[in-house]
Amino acid sequence: MIASKYGIGQQVRHTLLGYLGVVVDIDPEYSLDKPSADELAVDEDLRDAPWYHVVMEDDNGQPVHTYLAEAQLTSEIQAEHPEQPSMDELAQTIRKQLQAPRLRN
């Protein structure tokens, strides 16, 4: 069984670019059908480790969905980000949804 380092709703940073993001889904291993040219160069060990669907903001404040290997992410230490409040709101919303009781039919 593969254990993921980060959880859904957790804020993370891209290790090279420094962008703040929020984890919205986790794959136990690389699972895109057709890898891009950049992803083809990824080490086989990285392909077998968890991959994360992360929402980040572009330079215009628009949400961007990215797919990143665990090795490309670090934990975000700060709880609040005045420069990117929408990322804080997204993380809070996801965490609340995960904690909310689900109704059954």
Side-chain angles (χ1 to χ4, degrees), residues 23-37:
V23 175
V24 296
D25 199 7
I26 305 167
D27 292 335
E29 61 186 28
Y30 184 88
S31 66
L32 293 182
D33 292 334
K34 295 181 180 180
S36 70

Side-chain angles (χ1 to χ4, degrees), residues 14 18-19 21 25 27 30 39 70-71 75-76 86 90-91 95-96 102-103:
H14 192 285
Y19 292 127
D25 199 7
D27 292 335
Y30 184 88
E39 293 161 341
E70 190 168 83
S75 296
E76 176 55 25
S86 62
L90 177 60
R95 289 192 298 262
K96 282 181 185 176
R102 296 201 170 118
L103 298 176

Side-chain angles (χ1 to χ4, degrees), residues 18-90:
Y19 292 127
L20 176 67
V22 178
V23 175
V24 296
D25 199 7
I26 305 167
D27 292 335
E29 61 186 28
Y30 184 88
S31 66
L32 293 182
D33 292 334
K34 295 181 180 180
S36 70
D38 291 339
E39 293 161 341
L40 286 174
V42 171
D43 183 311
E44 193 64 33
D45 290 337
L46 290 180
R47 286 185 175 279
D48 293 336
W51 281 71
Y52 298 84
H53 297 266
V54 179
V55 173
M56 297 180 165
E57 286 184 352
D58 65 13
D59 293 336
N60 297 320
Q62 296 300 311
V64 176
H65 177 268
T66 60
Y67 193 59
L68 300 168
E70 190 168 83
Q72 295 172 299
L73 300 171
T74 60
S75 296
E76 176 55 25
I77 299 168
Q78 296 177 333
E80 294 183 12
H81 304 86
E83 73 285 0
Q84 289 183 293
S86 62
M87 291 290 100
D88 293 338
E89 289 176 26
L90 177 60

